[in-house]
Amino acid sequence: MSAQDAAVQERARAFVDEELIPWEVQAELADGELPPEVLERHTRKARELGFGAINMPVELGGDGLTMFQQALVQEQIGRVTNALGWVVHTPAGWLPRVATDHQLETWVKPTIRGERMECYAITEEGAGSDVDAIEATARREGDEYVLTGEKWHVTSANLADHVFFQAKLAGGSDAGSHALFVVDMDTPGVRVVRTPAYTHTLAHHHPILAFDDVRVPGANLIGTEGDGMRFVHEWFRYERLMIAARCCGAAERLITEATAFARSRDAFGHPISEFQAVQFMLADSLTELWAARLITYRTARGIDDGIDLKSQHAQCSLAKLYASEMANRVADRAVQIFGGRGYMRENVAERFYRELRVERIWEGTSEIQRVIIADQLLKRGVQALLDQ
Ligand SMILES: Cc1cc2nc3c(=O)[nH]c(=O)nc-3n(C[C@H](O)[C@H](O)[C@H](O)COP(=O)(O)OP(=O)(O)OC[C@H]3O[C@@H](n4cnc5c(N)ncnc54)[C@H](O)[C@@H]3O)c2cc1C
């Protein structure tokens, strides 16, 4: 780690420890919400520290961190529950390369400045892992597109002011292929169907959104017709690696807290840390965390070094698969070590036990990550994937 990398990591760690962690329990007990002035302070502080748009180029006003530095920051924000770390913003990193000047000025730059916020509408009731099964359509009418469909689990839609909407083209020479649009949330026809409750307690909700014949200008098409899936893959790669990093942070926090508790909790006249059954849970957790961290760091560095895209894709899946499954095992053990306290919402292990479950599901389930890894292994062999 260079001195610059270490400084980025230290800034993120101090921010999480001093500003965010103290608010976790209050957020948990208030449906994930913080007092507005506290949220405003967290947001401002994150920007002051250089974490306003960590993945965006400096030329556009972003923080321009390397992939490795981004993983270090995400690892730290993974140490806090209730998504309080999401004030560290990562706008659509793939967008500047394909955005038109109009799109850069209207959505990209204001989002980097923290004035706008995006959400993603890809998944549908009948299409999750199988993205190609989406039924949403985009029909060209003159200079406009008419967008129709219903999207599920749209994270942050309650806070966002624009949404990336994926659809299949209806009609035209590219009929049936995917296209991605940016849609302002206040466009007529965009409607919240309902906001289901989920396992975790976050201020960011995941509503079901309907798009009822939503008319958008042709200028809202991102890239060209048929480009939709390419962007989704790029986003998935990035998010999978960052999930891995956050899971490492969560596991580190859990092991630290469970170790401290095990030292201080007496049973049968001894601290429970003296019982081998408890020691083994901690030892297994630390061993697995180290493995996950090495995979995550190495994958991030490989991307900075420009390894080929297919290897990046497989390695990001590998990192997400291992780190998310690892963090869930660690959370389960931490709850066990805390005993009855581990079942109380005011306890960090209880919150992580619920929150980490989704890391094995979103941005591609663990099964889908295995499908991707196995596909690349069978096509290219072990060395092509691991020796990069
Ligand atoms: C809290 C939350 C937030 C989300 N946020 C967003 C968002 O912002 N935007 C968005 O578009 N989506 C979002 N999603 C959707 C998420 O990406 C999907 O839930 C996920 O990709 C899985 O799709 P599915 O739920 O339809 O499950 P399915 O695809 O129906 O899968 C069900 C089960 O079948 C298994 N399975 C499916 N195919 C295979 C296969 N080929 N081999 C082996 N097993 C298989 C899966 O692994 C899983 O166990 C979110 C989901 C959640 C829970």
Side-chain angles (χ1 to χ4, degrees):
M1 206 183 287
S2 71
Q4 208 182 1
D5 297 339
V8 166
Q9 185 188 45
E10 194 39 50
R11 277 208 307 280
R13 182 180 280 278
F15 175 56
V16 166
D17 284 336
E18 290 161 21
E19 295 284 342
L20 303 183
I21 287 180
W23 289 96
E24 284 176 336
V25 175
Q26 178 161 337
E28 175 61 33
L29 300 178
D31 292 331
E33 302 286 344
L34 289 179
E37 66 280 6
V38 174
L39 181 60
E40 195 273 326
R41 193 181 71 232
H42 290 171
T43 308
R44 181 168 36 81
K45 257 263 138 84
R47 296 193 74 77
E48 284 168 9
L49 289 168
F51 302 146
I54 58 174
N55 60 333
M56 300 304 264
V58 175
E59 313 82 80
L60 295 179
D63 302 307
L65 298 193
T66 65
M67 197 57 77
F68 180 55
Q69 290 169 344
Q70 291 178 55
L72 293 176
V73 173
Q74 294 276 342
E75 184 181 18
Q76 292 309 312
I77 68 165
R79 290 172 53 241
V80 65
T81 62
N82 301 86
L84 300 188
W86 289 10
V87 288
V88 171
H89 197 197
T90 52
W94 47 269
L95 190 50
R97 280 190 298 281
V98 292
T100 60
D101 286 346
H102 167 68
Q103 290 168 350
L104 282 175
E105 296 303 325
T106 311
W107 291 284
V108 179
K109 289 185 187 172
T111 303
I112 292 173
R113 290 197 296 269
E115 296 159 8
R116 304 201 67 171
M117 188 172 164
E118 78 289 1
C119 61
Y120 284 82
I122 301 165
T123 304
E124 299 177 3
E125 184 174 12
S129 305
D130 184 5
V131 181
D132 197 42
I134 59 170
E135 290 181 352
T137 55
R139 197 179 63 251
R140 179 120 207 175
E141 277 189 16
D143 290 341
E144 293 182 329
Y145 285 93
V146 181
L147 310 178
T148 309
E150 189 175 281
K151 298 291 185 175
W152 275 47
H153 313 297
V154 187
T155 299
S156 308
N158 58 319
L159 304 173
D161 67 3
H162 60 285
V163 52
F164 295 107
F165 175 84
Q166 182 144 346
K168 281 190 173 175
L169 293 159
S173 54
D174 288 309
S177 64
H178 289 245
L180 195 67
F181 298 86
V182 55
V183 182
D184 287 327
M185 293 288 275
D186 59 3
T187 311
V190 180
R191 176 171 60 86
V192 175
V193 177
R194 65 186 176 93
T195 300
Y198 284 71
T199 305
H200 51 213
T201 319
L202 311 190
H204 294 252
H205 302 160
H206 317 280
I208 299 173
L209 292 186
F211 293 74
D212 301 328
D213 291 335
V214 175
R215 287 183 173 272
V216 294
N220 290 33
L221 171 71
I222 296 172
T224 57
E225 293 191 348
D227 261 352
M229 283 304 270
R230 186 155 63 86
F231 306 138
V232 172
H233 285 144
E234 205 167 326
W235 175 249
F236 278 166
R237 242 185 338 268
Y238 178 72
E239 264 305 302
R240 285 168 188 165
L241 182 59
M242 296 305 143
I243 285 172
R246 290 196 294 271
C247 284
C248 289
E252 185 199 317
R253 170 99 186 274
L254 284 162
I255 297 167
T256 306
E257 301 262 5
T259 304
F261 178 76
R263 279 212 178 95
S264 65
R265 175 69 175 168
D266 285 338
F268 303 97
H270 295 272
I272 61 167
S273 60
E274 291 183 9
F275 301 135
Q276 214 172 44
V278 172
Q279 291 177 356
F280 281 14
M281 285 195 271
L282 292 170
D284 284 347
S285 297
L286 191 65
T287 307
E288 292 183 40
L289 166 59
W290 198 32
R293 182 183 281 174
L294 293 176
I295 294 172
T296 304
Y297 284 7
R298 175 73 188 266
T299 303
R301 280 195 185 285
I303 295 173
D304 284 331
D305 292 344
I307 67 165
D308 75 89
L309 217 54
K310 287 199 166 126
S311 299
Q312 285 184 26
H313 204 71
Q315 289 183 0
C316 288
S317 288
L318 212 142
K320 194 232 182 210
L321 170 65
Y322 187 75
S324 63
E325 302 253 333
M326 173 281 298
N328 274 265
R329 289 192 292 273
V330 170
D332 185 73
R333 294 181 195 124
V335 168
Q336 201 64 19
I337 291 170
F338 275 106
R341 288 169 179 75
Y343 203 62
M344 297 163 74
R345 285 188 175 222
E346 62 198 53
N347 185 286
V348 65
E350 190 278 342
R351 294 193 299 280
F352 269 130
Y353 183 74
R354 277 181 293 119
E355 291 181 13
L356 288 168
R357 189 62 183 83
V358 77
E359 308 291 8
R360 292 163 56 192
I361 297 171
W362 60 12
E363 309 299 348
T365 63
S366 288
E367 292 71 36
I368 294 302
Q369 306 312 325
R370 289 186 176 97
V371 167
I372 293 167
I373 297 163
D375 179 58
Q376 284 296 306
L377 169 65
L378 293 168
K379 281 184 184 146
R380 305 175 65 214
V382 175
Q383 285 176 357
L385 296 189
L386 299 191
D387 289 354
Q388 295 260 7

